[in-house]
Amino acid sequence: MKKLWTIFTVCLLLMLVFAPAAFADGETPAEAAKIDTGDTTFVLISAALVMIMTPGLALFYGGMVRTKNALSTLMQSFFIIGLVTVQWVLLGYSLAFGPDVNHFIGSLDWVGLSGVGMEPNADYAATIPHQAFMIFQAMFAVITAGLITGAFAERMKFGAFVVFTLLWTTLVYDPMAHWVWGVGGWIRELGVLDFAGGTVVHIISGVSGLTIALMIGKRKGYGSEVMMPHHLPMTVIGASLLWFGWFGFNAGSALSANGLAASAFVVTHVAAAAATVSWVLTEWLYHGKPTILGAASGCVAGLVAITPAAGFVSLIPAVIIGLSAGAICFLAVAVLKPKLGYDDSLDAFGVHGIGGTWGAIATGLFASKAVNPAGADGLFYGNASQLTTQLIGVGISWVFAAIMTFIILKAISLFIEVRATAEQEIQGLDITEHGERGYAYQDFMTGSPIAFGSSASGVPQELVAKKTTLA
């Protein structure tokens, strides 16, 4: 027993001797890492704000479709949160931000978030944990895939949608994110400015959406039947959540709670407000009526356009970008789409493709190093070459998104059915794809034949046969 106490005493003394060294070793990495709690809190809150944008998008899109497709539209955005998050953790983050391979793609060193821990990665954000940066970027990948669904709403089968989303995120979004934002990415090295996703998020989602809409064709009855939004209050709530979340989207991209974040926050709000006004005024002059759908669409158009420029432009340029975006995107939706005859169901291309293009170009006009010394001056600040660089970035984004989306959808169509049948479109995707209805007594209110089946023996045949395009 005495021997045991001797051993215990020696161990205790050794612990006391080496304790200071042990604590010093523990402090050194933390000190070297220089994690800033304020920056970390700011980025994590911003990530949460960007996350809520995708449910907001679900409501924004869900209110604009017909009753019989409300749940299927909500389901697409909501399911994307799960699907893309898992893809991002397992593979996507490594491809987008992993150590560069020939300026083209990230390596597989970070697969499964191997090596992505609680210490900062100085290449991307030196004052926050690497995982904080990773999860912030995950929310961008999530919503980008969601934006595309507005172009093919009401007519793509759920299985095809899932496969397409997975492949598109891996083969289009991840490489593009690396090119523009990844250390060593070749578009980044060209000098293209994209603060929060004009090329990476909005152009590629809008152009991809248009490509799908052209490939799978128009909805049954498009152009000959009225296809009105079934729940505009839902759409306005969704737009409000998008506006709210966009502060995390743009201000959060400063990756630090600093003056640049404050500037990005302010210009984001101002541009959205200006675009809301200009869309409504343009619509009022063009159609004779100002609409709440126009106001909601206008705010999103302004948010899209300011996104690439948010960290590079000052207040008055933001007003100009927003005012222009509202008018440009309205004309794309109200004039260009009817003239060309394509069926972009919820105007994903008209708002995000066109708005993102204008925003990327406007960055080349209004960017100023006085706002962000790490950026560049634009045309109006004496640097005409920046506008040329931005145009190159826009062109690359358009071509890459269109070609890759075409290839992916063609490949998928060889193995599974992509588009819903005519009968499924008539019944609605809520029932045919998910076996659910969004509203009680929906069948009786709309006269839809769905779900009557054998239990409909007592229902008058004329009610069963009746259809309405407002369903």
Side-chain angles (χ1 to χ4, degrees):
M1 188 70 180
K2 187 176 179 182
K3 186 176 180 182
L4 200 60
W5 275 107
T6 304
I7 294 172
F8 176 78
T9 304
V10 171
C11 289
L12 186 60
L13 288 171
L14 287 172
M15 286 175 63
L16 291 172
V17 169
F18 289 108
F23 281 107
D25 288 340
E27 285 170 6
T28 303
E31 227 175 80
K34 295 182 180 175
I35 289 178
D36 185 286
T37 55
D39 290 348
T40 302
T41 302
F42 174 68
V43 171
L44 290 176
I45 291 173
S46 295
L49 287 171
V50 181
M51 182 272 167
I52 204 65
M53 290 173 68
T54 302
L57 181 72
L59 295 173
F60 182 70
Y61 280 168
M64 286 195 281
V65 297
R66 291 168 288 177
T67 308
K68 61 188 178 183
N69 296 311
L71 289 183
S72 66
T73 303
L74 293 169
M75 175 64 166
Q76 288 173 346
S77 289
F78 199 83
F79 187 76
I80 277 173
I81 299 174
L83 181 66
V84 175
T85 297
V86 173
Q87 185 273 352
W88 190 253
V89 167
L90 295 180
L91 180 66
Y93 182 68
S94 190
L95 293 176
F97 291 97
D100 179 69
V101 178
N102 298 321
H103 309 292
F104 184 74
I105 197 70
S107 74
L108 298 180
D109 291 358
W110 296 347
V111 164
L113 299 186
S114 173
V116 180
M118 292 180 284
E119 299 303 317
N121 181 298
D123 286 338
Y124 294 112
T127 62
I128 64 174
H130 195 176
Q131 285 188 359
F133 176 79
M134 178 280 301
I135 200 64
F136 179 68
Q137 291 297 335
M139 303 311 173
F140 282 69
V142 166
I143 195 169
T144 305
L147 295 174
I148 305 174
T149 64
F152 57 73
E154 303 193 296
R155 62 196 189 277
M156 183 181 279
K157 294 180 75 66
F158 188 73
F161 150 77
V162 171
V163 176
F164 172 81
T165 299
L166 195 56
L167 291 176
W168 187 89
T169 301
T170 304
L171 301 177
V172 180
Y173 181 85
D174 294 344
M176 194 72 190
H178 184 78
W179 297 352
V180 177
W181 289 333
V183 173
W186 68 280
I187 294 180
R188 173 174 171 161
E189 295 196 340
L190 281 177
V192 173
L193 298 179
D194 187 350
F195 189 71
T199 53
V200 179
V201 175
H202 298 294
I203 291 179
I204 64 171
S205 63
V207 171
S208 295
L210 175 63
T211 304
I212 298 172
L214 293 173
M215 290 179 71
I216 68 176
K218 304 171 186 177
R219 287 168 289 177
K220 182 175 174 58
Y222 180 77
S224 61
E225 299 177 1
V226 178
M227 297 181 176
M228 294 176 64
H230 89 284
H231 201 306
L232 283 178
M234 180 190 293
T235 293
V236 176
I237 292 170
S240 302
L241 285 172
L242 287 170
W243 196 335
F244 174 68
W246 225 290
F247 294 124
F249 203 85
N250 287 358
S253 292
L255 299 173
S256 181
N258 55 21
L260 183 60
S263 175
F265 189 111
V266 172
V267 299
T268 296
H269 183 68
V270 167
T276 302
V277 172
S278 64
W279 184 301
V280 169
L281 292 178
T282 307
E283 178 186 49
W284 201 348
L285 290 170
Y286 193 85
H287 288 311
K289 300 276 186 188
T291 68
I292 186 63
L293 179 58
S297 300
C299 93
V300 175
L303 292 165
V304 168
I306 197 61
T307 291
F312 304 113
V313 303
S314 56
L315 194 58
I316 299 305
V319 174
I320 297 170
I321 290 171
L323 289 172
S324 302
I328 291 169
C329 291
F330 170 79
L331 294 173
V333 169
V335 179
L336 180 65
K337 184 170 80 167
K339 282 199 172 188
L340 297 181
Y342 58 87
D343 183 12
D344 174 8
S345 306
L346 310 179
D347 298 311
F349 172 72
V351 173
H352 296 278
I354 298 298
T357 297
W358 161 239
I361 294 171
T363 304
L365 297 173
F366 298 108
S368 170
K369 293 183 78 171
V371 174
N372 187 347
D377 288 325
L379 175 65
F380 296 144
Y381 293 87
N383 182 19
S385 65
Q386 188 60 44
L387 178 59
T388 303
T389 302
Q390 295 300 115
L391 289 170
I392 291 171
V394 167
I396 293 167
S397 303
W398 272 68
V399 171
F400 180 67
I403 291 175
M404 289 300 296
T405 300
F406 179 85
I407 293 171
I408 292 169
L409 201 63
K410 272 291 183 185
I412 292 172
S413 67
L414 296 176
F415 301 98
I416 58 177
E417 192 175 5
V418 172
R419 177 166 177 161
T421 65
E423 183 59 29
Q424 288 171 328
E425 284 193 54
I426 291 171
Q427 293 181 357
L429 300 187
D430 289 0
I431 281 292
T432 59
E433 289 293 297
H434 305 290
E436 299 175 293
R437 296 180 198 80
Y439 302 94
Y441 309 112
Q442 176 179 324
D443 299 338
F444 294 97
M445 288 190 297
T446 63
S448 171
I450 57 179
F452 287 149
S454 60
S455 64
S457 57
V459 178
Q461 190 60 37
E462 59 270 21
L463 177 60
V464 176
K466 183 181 177 184
K467 311 285 195 301
T468 172
T469 58
L470 301 184

